[in-house]
Amino acid sequence: MCKTDIFNSVSNVVTSLTEVDYSTMCQSGIKTREVVDARYLLIYFLHVSAGFDIAYIARHLNMTPQGIRQILSQFDLRRKQSGKFFEILFQKIKNSIETY
């Protein structure tokens, strides 16, 4: 599987389970809870599970590397504060990605 296929697979899993489309996640101006949670989950799984580096993720999501680093550094806090639904999504995405 090439990088693009892996990136698209992770993106498809996240968009499917969060019901937030990819183009919406890439718009940093959209700050609703659902979109921000989906963006955090996408970035986390692209970096941690798929192993993409920060610069690669930033280029493909139209974000800065600093923005990606900030999201990654705040992920655990967001996970604690976002409640049960975020945790359910996290586990479902994790399980789906592990099957690849």
Side-chain angles (χ1 to χ4, degrees):
M1 214 182 237
C2 69
K3 281 176 120 176
T4 303
D5 292 339
I6 295 169
F7 190 95
N8 290 337
S9 293
V10 173
S11 297
N12 289 339
V13 168
V14 173
T15 58
S16 171
L17 291 172
T18 62
E19 297 178 352
V20 176
D21 63 277
Y22 180 79
S23 62
T24 302
M25 277 190 263
C26 292
Q27 296 177 24
S28 60
I30 300 176
K31 305 284 188 193
T32 63
R33 183 182 188 116
E34 294 81 15
V35 174
V36 174
D37 283 351
R39 190 179 299 130
Y40 268 66
L41 288 163
L42 176 61
I43 291 168
Y44 176 85
F45 283 106
L46 285 171
H47 183 67
V48 174
S49 296
F52 288 105
D53 63 49
I54 290 169
Y56 186 87
I57 296 168
R59 277 193 311 275
H60 285 80
L61 296 181
N62 299 320
M63 295 178 70
T64 64
Q66 294 86 352
I68 302 297
R69 276 190 217 93
Q70 183 177 3
I71 287 172
L72 291 170
S73 70
Q74 295 175 350
F75 184 83
D76 289 333
L77 180 61
R78 180 117 191 146
R79 188 173 171 191
K80 285 179 191 174
Q81 292 178 342
S82 288
K84 189 168 181 124
F85 189 69
F86 186 91
E87 187 62 29
I88 291 168
L89 284 173
F90 177 85
Q91 292 301 327
K92 284 185 174 189
I93 293 167
K94 181 180 177 190
N95 292 340
S96 294
I97 290 173
E98 287 176 351
T99 60
Y100 283 107

